Amino acid sequence: MSRFLLLYATQKGQAKAIAEEICEKAVTHGFSADLHCISESKKYDLKTETAPLVMVVSTTGTGDPPDTARKFVKEIKDKTLPVDFLAHLRYGLLGLGDSEYTYFCNGGKVIDKRLQELGAQHFYDTGHADDCVGLELVVEPWIDGLWAALTKHFTSSRGREMSGTHTTVSAASRAMDPMNLELVHIESQVELLRLDDSGGKDFEVLKQNAMNGVQSSALIADFESSLTHSKPPLSQASLNIPSLPPEYLEVQLHESLGQEESQVPMTSVGPIFQVPISKAVQLTTNDAIKTTLLVELDISKTDYSYQPGDAFNVICPNSDSEVQSLLKRLQLTDQREHLVLLKIKADTKKKEGAALPQHVPQRCSLQFILTWCLEIRAVPKKAFLRALVDCTSDGAEKRRLQELCSRQGAAEYNRFVRDACACLLDLLLAFPSCQPPLSLLLEHLPKLQPRPYSCASSSLSHPGKLHFVFNIVEFLSSTTSVVLRRGVCTGWLATLVESVLQLNSRASHADDEKVLAPEISISPRTTNSFHLPNDLSVPIIMVGPGTGIAPFIGFLQHREKLQEQHPEGDFGVTWLFFGCRHQDRDYLFREELRHFLKHGVLTHLKVSFSRDAPVGEEGAPVKYVQDSIQLHGKEVAGLLLHQNGCIYVCGDAKNMAKDVNDTLVEIISKEAGVDKLEAMKTLATLKEEKRYLQDIWS
């Protein structure tokens, strides 16, 4: 068999799962994949690698490579490396991302760009898969085309060595959008920014939509299809379904007999701090569309430290009611306190990746694992649906699950599973004859991820305390019946702080019964750049609508204390663009902001209200933060272009961050007198210089 090196860089397991799929399919196509996590640098050496390289790279944060790739990226970015360091290397790369973020697939793009700068060449075109519309729309055809590309590489390698030529198999050969050749690589810096002026998706996304256009348009008029039922033509179509993922876990349930179980879930690689909640305040009125809470943690008895702009993880459990419902549906309620013992099946056909899941501790109760270790709300991937097919006895239900995981049913999977945020429990309730074994859940459910929150305080202003702010996420789940659900973490936190909220809402009395402060577990996030500049004279622009204001409250508290300590200091101007729906309902931190403005900590405060009657300076309508930035474009551009200013953006990635980015391109183009392409280059440079910083989420 012809060998190729297969590396994956994963944050939450998606890239690893795709790499394992490639590895398993390789054998059937006559290849042997040498599979490794990109962090396992002792197991491969690109400097001496003679086989072709295939990479699957995810993106995390605001366009960063995943944590597992940090060391790799640092090594290949070594400026002392010669330009022909990897000239011998031939590779193909599949990037994973989400077009709701400005820097789409940037983890893969960063590695792709640097490999080419070091002389490596493509034997197969790069693919950019978008989780916003469904990764499989690019992943599946990219994998299908990989085998022809590898075959061509191996069969022509001898000729290449003799002639010195290099052949790349184009993604266009896989019946992708013919515009591919026109929109290949634009200048590397500009590739970091979104190039589509229409406000729509970038090229990869348009390409994916075109691939699936016929199914999507047909589905718009189809109101009778549902999670459990389909209509012609899908209900009568021959289906291409994925191969059955090989089982690899053997599970035994043992009575606990009083053994102690670990109480710390394996969700964090760093230190974990157990801290009490000392205060909770509702920042919005009761008639606000969203309820926003500020929570204060007492960190005085720990060695946890932070600076404004930092974020931290909250380790949270799944909803107890959902865990009990899942146990009941699996007919495991009576065994919920049994200890779970795992081992690899002796006869497994899974040759690569057949390892015990590290996020599932040994000898813990089933209830503990479902509560603290597994993301039971995760949207099941198609491979999981394919495995559920073989656990389903009813013919109609089996057929429908086959449709949902098939290539022909991609649009319906997106509509009824992915976009509907259907979880395993939803599927099990929708398909009653499906009876999966516990081992299948442990193989396919991902790790329950801790939830990140921005620090909303300064330790100078609140020593021994840590503040954070969140909206209580509520949404309707209507896969089988309409159910109001809360966010996994925000729903849990809201319930946890109820007693503290009650205390804060009434005058305290000496004879009040002392309430035991609830505690939560937190862990520090990896170091980021979202910090105040070291030079206090640098002007700063802060853009944070809604709860995006959180880190900027920490910034301003910090600046206030520094100004008190250095009254003669040279402090740069500070601008804050804040936005909310209603001035009298969800104007967060109104009094604090007025205080900062009055005392000169905040130089300019620009607030917009999207649902109130539009008002603005000089009669201009200002609904959103980007409108306000546009209105003050001359000043903003001047600070960034001529005064070495920094701009920070925090909040929603889906709309706000992109709209702000577009507005910055417009005002730089206008004020600098350059075209939009040049303005994009300027913004890309600001990002590289850590002067354009984002802390955004979807």
Side-chain angles (χ1 to χ4, degrees), residues 533-673:
N534 292 326
D535 183 353
L536 299 177
S537 67
V538 171
I540 61 172
I541 303 164
M542 300 166 282
V543 184
T547 56
I549 195 174
F552 304 134
I553 294 298
F555 278 15
L556 294 169
Q557 289 177 357
H558 203 71
R559 289 281 286 229
E560 181 175 39
K561 288 298 179 182
L562 290 176
Q563 287 181 211
E564 290 174 1
Q565 295 169 6
H566 307 282
E568 304 302 320
D570 180 16
F571 290 85
V573 297
T574 52
W575 286 68
L576 173 62
F577 293 93
F578 174 69
C580 59
R581 288 180 173 84
H582 300 284
Q583 182 172 0
D584 59 348
R585 299 183 195 177
D586 53 3
Y587 188 164
L588 309 181
F589 299 103
R590 183 190 327 208
E591 296 309 316
E592 289 89 336
L593 293 177
R594 287 176 176 172
H595 167 83
F596 292 135
L597 194 62
K598 180 181 177 181
H599 290 83
V601 179
L602 185 57
T603 318
H604 301 280
L605 173 61
K606 305 300 175 184
V607 186
S608 50
F609 307 103
S610 62
R611 304 294 170 86
D612 289 341
V615 293
E617 298 158 59
E618 303 170 6
V622 177
K623 286 186 68 176
Y624 304 107
V625 287
Q626 60 266 26
D627 299 327
S628 196
I629 294 171
Q630 187 90 57
L631 195 62
H632 299 279
K634 190 175 186 67
E635 296 96 323
V636 170
L639 293 174
L640 295 176
L641 299 177
H642 307 303
Q643 297 186 44
N644 203 39
C646 296
I647 183 165
Y648 302 83
V649 181
C650 182
D652 163 50
K654 184 175 182 181
N655 297 308
M656 183 277 297
K658 284 187 172 181
D659 291 339
V660 167
N661 189 81
D662 290 347
T663 301
L664 291 174
V665 169
E666 287 181 27
I667 65 174
I668 289 174
S669 174
K670 178 182 176 182
E671 300 301 329

Side-chain angles (χ1 to χ4, degrees), residues 97 129-139 208 413-414 418-419:
D130 183 12
D131 200 31
C132 181
V133 297
L135 292 173
E136 70 280 354
L137 295 182
V138 163
V139 170
Q208 293 159 357
Y413 170 83
N414 288 342
R418 187 176 62 85
D419 295 345

Side-chain angles (χ1 to χ4, degrees), residues 129-197:
D130 183 12
D131 200 31
C132 181
V133 297
L135 292 173
E136 70 280 354
L137 295 182
V138 163
V139 170
E140 290 178 3
W142 193 89
I143 294 176
D144 288 346
L146 174 63
W147 316 121
L150 283 168
T151 300
K152 189 165 187 176
H153 168 82
F154 283 115
T155 55
S156 62
S157 58
R158 186 180 299 274
R160 276 205 314 272
E161 290 170 7
M162 294 174 63
S163 66
T165 60
H166 164 62
T167 305
T168 298
V169 175
S170 171
S173 67
R174 303 192 308 274
M176 294 257 187
D177 194 313
M179 291 168 58
N180 193 40
L181 294 176
E182 299 175 23
L183 294 171
V184 187
H185 294 295
I186 299 178
E187 225 172 302
S188 58
Q189 281 188 324
V190 182
E191 200 175 62
L192 296 174
L193 294 167
R194 184 163 55 89
L195 301 181
D196 177 30
D197 291 333

